[in-house]
Amino acid sequence: GQQVQQSPASLVLQEGENAELQCNFSSTATRLQWFYQHPGGRLVSLFYNPSGTKHTGRLTSTTVTNERRSSLHISSSQTTDSGTYFCAIDDDTNAYKVIFGKGTHLHVLP
Amino acid sequence: EAAVTQSPRSKVAVTGGKVTLSCHQTNNHDYMYWYRQDTGHGLRLIHYSYVADSTEKGDIPDGYKASRPSQENFSLILELASLSQTAVYFCASLGEERNTLYFGAGTRLSVL
């Protein structure tokens, strides 16, 4: 079945620095999403991005489908960006079975 | 805005007891999911459903049952709760119009 690897597992930044989060997957994905989770909180969708590049505010998601990878770029990080970022994709045998990576824990220092 | 409501928000259960976690969505979505979250494991899929009266096994179904009595409701049942089932449980529904999962706030379950 589909495997999802996220890196780095954790990241500490000084406020104002940029961050690059990676998601690699083992098989072709037709649904790829990035989520943000505040510590102990609800997961919020950031992007649905199965291919190409999408922007929203200081966030940019780039997915290269044939290379089975996606990235989430955070520019000019803020302390409020702290939390966990997850990549989620569909299973290679069932497009509606959505599985998650283990996440990247981001901590932005003031 | 899509809405997914979970109940209870937290629960303490005794080992060997029965636990039912409930999820209700008002999104008119066909697909619903149950995940558990543990430190170091991210979210792992337990069960999911694409239509009322039908459920599918996810990656870690052992020890859990699911029930989808209607499009709006999806329950997760622990018939004999065990210590290892202490975790935070999330319910979600899938909106095909935007290909986005919408999550509930989670249920924190402690089995003692």
Side-chain angles (χ1 to χ4, degrees), chain A residues 42, chain B residues 2-6 23-27 32 91-93 102-105:
Chain A
R42 189 188 300 251
Chain B
V4 179
T5 305
Q6 293 183 231
C23 180
H24 178 81
Q25 55 112 347
T26 59
N27 309 322
M32 296 186 73
C91 176
S93 69
Y102 294 91
F103 279 86

Side-chain angles (χ1 to χ4, degrees), chain B residues 12-72:
Chain B
V12 178
V14 295
T15 304
K18 182 177 181 179
V19 177
T20 300
L21 307 182
S22 299
C23 180
H24 178 81
Q25 55 112 347
T26 59
N27 309 322
N28 200 34
H29 291 164
D30 288 328
Y31 286 81
M32 296 186 73
Y33 303 79
W34 276 106
Y35 293 90
R36 66 175 279 174
Q37 184 173 32
D38 305 270
T39 302
H41 287 281
L43 278 79
R44 292 182 289 174
L45 180 63
I46 307 171
H47 286 287
Y48 62 106
S49 169
Y50 58 87
V51 69
D53 296 322
S54 178
T55 62
E56 303 292 328
K57 293 181 179 180
D59 293 324
I60 54 164
D62 292 345
Y64 302 94
K65 288 174 54 179
S67 174
R68 184 91 181 269
S70 64
Q71 186 191 42
E72 297 79 19

Side-chain angles (χ1 to χ4, degrees), chain A residues 2 25 28-34 47-51 63 87-91 94-99, chain B residues 31 33 94-101:
Chain A
Q2 183 72 271
F25 40 98
T28 302
T30 57
R31 300 171 187 268
L32 187 142
Q33 301 173 68
W34 283 95
F47 291 103
Y48 169 73
N49 188 24
S51 65
T63 299
C87 169
I89 58 174
D90 54 303
D91 187 79
N94 182 343
Y96 293 98
K97 180 183 174 184
V98 183
I99 59 175
Chain B
Y31 286 81
Y33 303 79
L94 178 65
E96 290 194 68
E97 71 283 0
R98 296 179 62 188
N99 285 295
T100 300
L101 278 175

